[in-house]
Amino acid sequence: MTSQPLPVSPVRIKPRLRGWKSLLTHQAFRRFVQLGFATFILVVTLQHVLVGESSGNVTASPEAYCPFGGLETLYQYITSGGSFISRTHLSNVVVLVAVLVTAFLFRSAFCGWVCPLGFIQDLVSGFSAFLRRRFSFLRKAVNALKKHGARLAFLDRYLRLLKYAVLAWAVIGAGVYGVMVFRDYDPWSALINIAKFSFTPGIVVLGVTLVASLFIERPWCRYACPLGAASGLMGKLSPMYLKREADACKVCKVCTKACPMGLPVHAATTITSADCICCLECVCACPREGVLEVKMGIPLVGQK
Amino acid sequence: MRINPFVFGITVLAVFLGVILSFQAAGVWSVSGKTTSDGAVQPSVEDVSTIKGWMTLEQISTVYNVPLSEIVAQFSLPADTPVSAAIKDLESDTFSAEELRAWLESRMAPVESGAAGVPTPQDTPIPAALPTEHVAPEKTITGKTTFQDLLDWNVSEETIRQIIGGDLPAMTTLIKDYAVQNGLEFSTLKTALQSEVDKTR
């Protein structure tokens, strides 16, 4: 008697959406949300620049909505009983609380769904991908560059630790000196204050970030963002995680290629990395139904 | 438990905005140092560290009772500096909020004791109940002066009407508030009224 292979439950291939139906994906929804927050910050910035504050008007600075400002001023706010370091307000602390609550429940979903600086990096990377599709010489040049740069890939895991050092420096520095020591180096601060035409190291960091985004997705988020570091650490306590069904997966690596944070999704069964921004690009990219899914389980122990 | 990606996104949005809106609804929200839940922020007479870059020279002049011309001369500011200019907009090598704070602090500090015949703090202990609020010289118009004060200082109603160019408001109205409400420059009004007060001395 010959042994018959056990029947494997068939895995459906996701239907390919075309035309307006392609806008009905959760990724289109995510882009819409990102665009909404970026537009809000743009309006606040323009209002602050055009209306100004020299008269009795109160036009909020876009910096008033930065959650990292809340983290920098938190020590002073607690120890002084309610005062803030310069250029921060109560709104910074409130937005920080919102980011941390979001991270506690949904990991770093703030980075993937809300953060305007992340969105700008996504736009630059998207533009770069468009150019590479359009012009073959660019595609070849970038591929050659990536091939040569592959030998430096081992640096990636060490460089990702840099953001924790930036987080410690910015928070401890603000606590000790009572000023935002990170502000002059912050690309986000440089961007929203660009109308002041003041040259700061942050302008250089912003330029490097945008140029790097042409070759690597979300370079600032991967290596240097202190808010992402804080959110990632808090996210370790989140019940949300991504699950890859190894039995049904064909290891096509589409998920890994889609991940803007460069995580090896195809090689993991559960994705609980502090670097995961829960953008769900990998879930959308996976061609098979139910192979890669968002799941909920007990943090640290029940996510298998 | 499996979560639909759409539900995930909507819940992220709801939680993030929900937390912020909850704080706002509870009154725990401020996007500017200019206002708090208690109202507009003003520099404190007792504490120069409350001076912020967005505050105007007019505010400083009024609250600390320093003539604008003295501030302009001290920091070599242009003679045509508008009183409504914010401190941060006038910053230069010789002028900044920090410089202004330091100067006002030294200006407000008591004259050094120790000269012959002058009692030292050890000789005359300060009474515990001594008022700490800065008191302007007698019959000097400040931001706290009301129209009733002007009448008390023997300035006639007719004279006040001519200067303000209208009817008198409620007697308890601060002159500064009247100027702001009617789009008048407080410093101009103050100078004109002060000259009338000086005539009555």
Side-chain angles (χ1 to χ4, degrees):
Chain A
M1 191 176 128
T2 56
S3 61
Q4 293 288 319
L6 289 170
V8 177
S9 60
V11 175
R12 277 184 59 207
I13 302 292
K14 288 179 188 170
R16 189 162 185 169
L17 301 173
R18 293 178 187 280
W20 64 270
K21 283 187 177 174
S22 64
L23 295 175
L24 297 178
T25 63
H26 54 85
Q27 284 308 298
F29 176 54
R30 184 173 76 93
R31 294 301 187 205
F32 181 72
V33 172
Q34 284 181 306
L35 182 66
F37 281 101
T39 306
F40 169 74
I41 292 296
L42 181 66
V43 169
V44 169
T45 307
L46 288 175
Q47 191 185 32
H48 190 65
V49 170
L50 298 177
V51 179
E53 278 201 307
S54 55
S55 59
N57 295 317
V58 176
T59 55
S61 159
E63 288 190 82
Y65 296 95
C66 177
F68 194 65
L71 202 55
E72 288 173 294
T73 202
L74 195 60
Y75 176 78
Q76 171 133 344
Y77 181 66
I78 293 168
T79 55
S80 70
S83 73
F84 305 94
I85 58 175
S86 185
R87 297 175 194 278
T88 58
H89 312 287
L90 193 53
S91 54
N92 295 100
V93 178
V94 171
V95 179
L96 170 72
V97 172
V99 169
L100 293 181
V101 170
T102 307
F104 182 71
L105 296 173
F106 311 106
R107 297 189 176 272
S108 296
F110 169 83
C111 309
W113 289 74
V114 177
C115 179
L117 185 58
F119 181 52
I120 290 167
Q121 292 173 84
D122 286 347
L123 287 180
V124 175
S125 295
F127 181 63
S128 170
F130 167 77
L131 290 179
R132 274 179 275 149
R133 278 197 303 272
R134 191 93 188 201
F135 304 105
S136 61
F137 72 94
L138 273 178
R139 188 166 58 243
K140 284 174 188 167
V142 171
N143 286 345
L145 201 65
K146 281 187 174 176
K147 201 172 175 183
H148 285 293
R151 71 186 72 165
L152 298 173
F154 74 97
L155 283 175
D156 179 78
R157 62 187 295 190
Y158 299 109
L159 286 173
R160 283 176 190 265
L161 299 175
L162 185 67
K163 56 179 171 284
Y164 299 102
V166 176
L167 172 67
W169 166 57
V171 174
I172 295 171
V176 171
Y177 298 108
V179 292
M180 292 198 280
V181 293
F182 172 64
R183 186 171 178 270
D184 280 351
Y185 302 87
D186 183 358
W188 177 242
S189 175
L191 183 64
I192 55 183
N193 288 304
I194 207 154
K196 290 182 179 171
F197 300 109
S198 56
F199 186 79
T200 61
I203 292 281
V204 178
V205 177
L206 176 66
V208 169
T209 300
L210 295 181
V211 172
S213 298
L214 293 168
F215 306 98
I216 315 164
E217 284 184 87
R218 295 217 177 203
W220 176 254
C221 311
R222 284 190 197 197
Y223 303 122
C225 180
L227 183 65
S231 179
L233 290 175
M234 177 62 92
K236 279 289 184 186
L237 302 172
S238 165
M240 298 288 174
Y241 66 106
L242 296 179
K243 170 85 175 162
R244 185 182 68 92
E245 294 294 344
D247 294 341
C249 178
K250 296 288 182 187
V251 198
C252 63
K253 298 188 183 179
V254 166
C255 50
T256 296
K257 285 176 192 159
C259 179
M261 293 298 283
L263 297 174
V265 182
H266 73 277
T269 49
T270 57
I271 294 95
T272 56
S273 167
D275 283 350
C276 175
I277 56 172
C278 281
C279 61
L280 309 187
E281 284 267 18
C282 54
V283 176
C284 188
C286 181
R288 301 168 84 81
E289 203 88 66
V291 171
L292 198 54
E293 292 187 318
V294 187
K295 296 243 178 182
M296 198 158 78
I298 300 167
L300 303 173
V301 291
Q303 299 178 336
K304 291 174 183 169
Chain B
M1 191 175 102
R2 181 181 171 274
I3 311 285
N4 181 295
F6 266 112
V7 174
F8 179 85
I10 291 167
T11 319
V12 167
L13 206 57
V15 168
F16 180 71
L17 293 177
V19 170
I20 294 172
L21 293 174
S22 302
F23 274 101
Q24 285 183 339
V28 187
W29 182 261
S30 169
V31 291
S32 170
K34 280 186 170 185
T35 55
T36 64
S37 52
D38 300 329
V41 171
Q42 292 288 343
S44 162
V45 178
E46 293 89 23
D47 185 7
V48 292
S49 69
T50 56
I51 295 174
K52 304 291 179 192
W54 52 262
M55 290 174 178
T56 62
L57 287 185
E58 187 178 22
Q59 275 178 295
I60 302 302
S61 170
T62 305
V63 172
Y64 295 95
N65 199 29
V66 183
L68 195 65
S69 55
E70 196 177 332
I71 301 175
V72 168
Q74 174 67 27
F75 295 102
S76 308
L77 296 172
D80 57 348
T81 302
V83 291
S84 59
I87 296 166
K88 67 178 180 182
D89 295 335
L90 298 171
E91 286 192 341
S92 65
D93 292 341
T94 57
F95 182 68
S96 68
E98 287 79 24
E99 302 262 356
L100 182 63
R101 286 188 204 115
W103 178 67
L104 285 171
E105 196 159 33
S106 64
R107 196 175 179 280
M108 289 159 60
V111 179
E112 283 217 9
S113 57
V118 178
T120 62
Q122 286 83 359
D123 299 331
T124 51
I126 299 167
L130 197 67
T132 54
E133 193 178 345
H134 179 81
V135 178
E138 196 185 351
K139 291 192 176 181
T140 301
I141 297 172
T142 68
K144 293 178 180 173
T145 307
T146 63
F147 285 95
Q148 183 62 53
D149 292 332
L150 292 178
L151 296 177
D152 293 344
W153 295 340
N154 299 322
V155 181
S156 69
E157 283 189 25
E158 184 57 36
T159 309
I160 300 171
R161 269 197 214 98
Q162 281 174 2
I163 291 173
I164 65 175
D167 288 335
L168 282 175
M171 288 299 113
T172 52
T173 307
L174 293 175
I175 298 169
K176 186 186 167 197
D177 288 349
Y178 178 85
V180 172
Q181 285 160 13
N182 291 279
L184 303 169
E185 289 286 354
F186 174 63
S187 58
T188 313
L189 202 59
K190 179 184 163 185
T191 309
L193 290 168
Q194 186 65 56
S195 69
E196 293 300 324
V197 172
D198 292 341
K199 285 178 192 169
T200 66
R201 285 181 198 267

